Short mmCIF file of all heavy atoms in Angstrom, two decimals:
data_model
loop_
_atom_site.label_atom_id
_atom_site.label_comp_id
_atom_site.label_asym_id
_atom_site.label_seq_id
_atom_site.Cartn_x
_atom_site.Cartn_y
_atom_site.Cartn_z
N ASP A 15 104.98 150.92 13.66
CA ASP A 15 104.17 151.78 12.79
C ASP A 15 103.51 152.84 13.68
O ASP A 15 102.38 152.67 14.13
CB ASP A 15 103.11 150.91 12.09
CG ASP A 15 102.48 151.60 10.89
OD1 ASP A 15 103.10 152.51 10.32
OD2 ASP A 15 101.36 151.20 10.50
N THR A 35 107.95 153.27 10.89
CA THR A 35 107.26 153.86 9.74
C THR A 35 106.26 154.88 10.26
O THR A 35 105.60 154.65 11.27
CB THR A 35 106.52 152.80 8.89
OG1 THR A 35 105.70 152.00 9.75
CG2 THR A 35 107.48 151.92 8.13
N THR A 36 106.18 156.00 9.55
CA THR A 36 105.15 157.00 9.85
C THR A 36 104.38 157.28 8.57
O THR A 36 104.80 156.86 7.48
CB THR A 36 105.76 158.32 10.38
OG1 THR A 36 106.46 158.96 9.30
CG2 THR A 36 106.73 158.08 11.53
N ASN A 37 103.27 157.93 8.72
CA ASN A 37 102.50 158.42 7.57
C ASN A 37 101.78 159.68 8.03
O ASN A 37 101.81 160.01 9.23
CB ASN A 37 101.56 157.32 7.02
CG ASN A 37 100.53 156.86 8.04
OD1 ASN A 37 100.03 157.67 8.82
ND2 ASN A 37 100.21 155.58 8.03
N LEU A 40 99.49 159.18 11.04
CA LEU A 40 100.18 158.91 12.31
C LEU A 40 100.83 160.18 12.86
O LEU A 40 100.85 160.41 14.08
CB LEU A 40 101.23 157.81 12.13
CG LEU A 40 100.66 156.42 11.80
CD1 LEU A 40 101.78 155.44 11.43
CD2 LEU A 40 99.85 155.87 12.98
N GLN A 66 106.74 160.33 5.09
CA GLN A 66 105.97 160.37 3.83
C GLN A 66 105.82 161.77 3.27
O GLN A 66 105.55 162.73 4.02
CB GLN A 66 104.59 159.75 4.09
CG GLN A 66 103.80 159.50 2.81
CD GLN A 66 102.61 158.58 3.04
OE1 GLN A 66 102.65 157.73 3.93
NE2 GLN A 66 101.58 158.74 2.26
N LYS A 92 108.99 158.20 1.94
CA LYS A 92 107.86 157.36 1.57
C LYS A 92 107.03 158.09 0.51
O LYS A 92 106.65 159.26 0.73
CB LYS A 92 107.02 157.12 2.82
CG LYS A 92 106.20 155.86 2.85
CD LYS A 92 105.67 155.72 4.28
CE LYS A 92 104.72 154.60 4.43
NZ LYS A 92 104.07 154.64 5.75
N THR A 116 104.59 153.25 -0.81
CA THR A 116 103.47 152.81 0.01
C THR A 116 102.18 152.75 -0.79
O THR A 116 102.14 153.08 -1.97
CB THR A 116 103.32 153.74 1.24
OG1 THR A 116 102.38 153.15 2.15
CG2 THR A 116 102.85 155.14 0.86
N SER A 136 105.70 148.70 0.31
CA SER A 136 104.78 148.49 1.44
C SER A 136 103.41 147.98 0.98
O SER A 136 102.52 148.78 0.67
CB SER A 136 104.59 149.80 2.22
OG SER A 136 105.74 150.14 2.92
N ILE A 138 99.82 146.84 1.74
CA ILE A 138 98.97 147.29 2.85
C ILE A 138 97.93 146.20 3.13
O ILE A 138 96.79 146.25 2.64
CB ILE A 138 98.31 148.64 2.48
CG1 ILE A 138 99.36 149.66 2.01
CG2 ILE A 138 97.52 149.21 3.64
CD1 ILE A 138 100.31 150.15 3.08
N GLY A 140 96.13 144.91 5.83
CA GLY A 140 94.87 145.02 6.58
C GLY A 140 93.77 145.63 5.74
O GLY A 140 92.61 145.22 5.82
N ARG A 141 94.14 146.61 4.92
CA ARG A 141 93.11 147.28 4.12
C ARG A 141 92.61 146.37 3.01
O ARG A 141 91.47 146.51 2.55
CB ARG A 141 93.63 148.61 3.57
CG ARG A 141 93.98 149.59 4.69
CD ARG A 141 94.30 150.97 4.17
NE ARG A 141 94.96 151.74 5.21
CZ ARG A 141 95.30 153.02 5.09
NH1 ARG A 141 95.04 153.68 3.97
NH2 ARG A 141 95.90 153.65 6.08
N LEU A 170 108.04 145.19 2.85
CA LEU A 170 107.72 145.74 4.17
C LEU A 170 106.21 145.57 4.38
O LEU A 170 105.42 146.37 3.87
CB LEU A 170 108.14 147.21 4.20
CG LEU A 170 108.25 147.95 5.54
CD1 LEU A 170 108.98 149.28 5.34
CD2 LEU A 170 106.92 148.19 6.18
N ALA A 172 102.79 146.01 5.69
CA ALA A 172 102.21 147.12 6.45
C ALA A 172 100.72 146.90 6.67
O ALA A 172 100.13 145.98 6.09
CB ALA A 172 102.45 148.43 5.71
N SER A 173 100.15 147.76 7.53
CA SER A 173 98.72 147.63 7.88
C SER A 173 98.47 146.27 8.55
O SER A 173 97.51 145.58 8.26
CB SER A 173 97.85 147.81 6.63
OG SER A 173 96.50 147.95 6.95
N ILE A 174 99.39 145.96 9.46
CA ILE A 174 99.29 144.72 10.26
C ILE A 174 98.22 144.94 11.33
O ILE A 174 98.23 145.96 12.01
CB ILE A 174 100.65 144.43 10.92
CG1 ILE A 174 101.73 144.16 9.86
CG2 ILE A 174 100.54 143.35 11.98
CD1 ILE A 174 101.83 142.78 9.38
N ARG A 175 97.32 143.98 11.46
CA ARG A 175 96.21 144.18 12.41
C ARG A 175 96.21 143.19 13.57
O ARG A 175 95.42 143.33 14.50
CB ARG A 175 94.88 144.05 11.65
CG ARG A 175 94.69 145.05 10.53
CD ARG A 175 94.14 146.38 11.05
NE ARG A 175 94.27 147.43 10.05
CZ ARG A 175 93.43 147.63 9.05
NH1 ARG A 175 92.39 146.85 8.91
NH2 ARG A 175 93.64 148.62 8.20
N THR A 192 105.87 146.07 9.65
CA THR A 192 105.71 147.28 10.46
C THR A 192 104.42 147.14 11.25
O THR A 192 103.35 146.90 10.68
CB THR A 192 105.79 148.58 9.63
OG1 THR A 192 105.84 149.67 10.56
CG2 THR A 192 104.65 148.77 8.66
C1 E4P B 319 102.56 151.94 6.67
O1 E4P B 319 103.28 152.70 7.25
C2 E4P B 319 101.14 152.23 6.45
O2 E4P B 319 100.98 153.61 6.29
C3 E4P B 319 100.34 151.73 7.62
O3 E4P B 319 100.82 150.47 8.04
C4 E4P B 319 98.87 151.67 7.31
O4 E4P B 319 98.19 151.03 8.36
P1 E4P B 319 96.60 151.15 8.56
O5 E4P B 319 95.94 150.50 7.37
O6 E4P B 319 96.32 150.41 9.82
O7 E4P B 319 96.29 152.61 8.65
#
Side-chain angles (χ1 to χ4, degrees):
D15 196 23
T35 51
T36 69
N37 62 36
L40 294 171
Q66 191 165 331
K92 206 170 174 190
T116 190
S136 290
I138 309 291
R141 297 188 195 184
L170 195 167
S173 191
I174 296 274
R175 300 276 166 82
T192 189

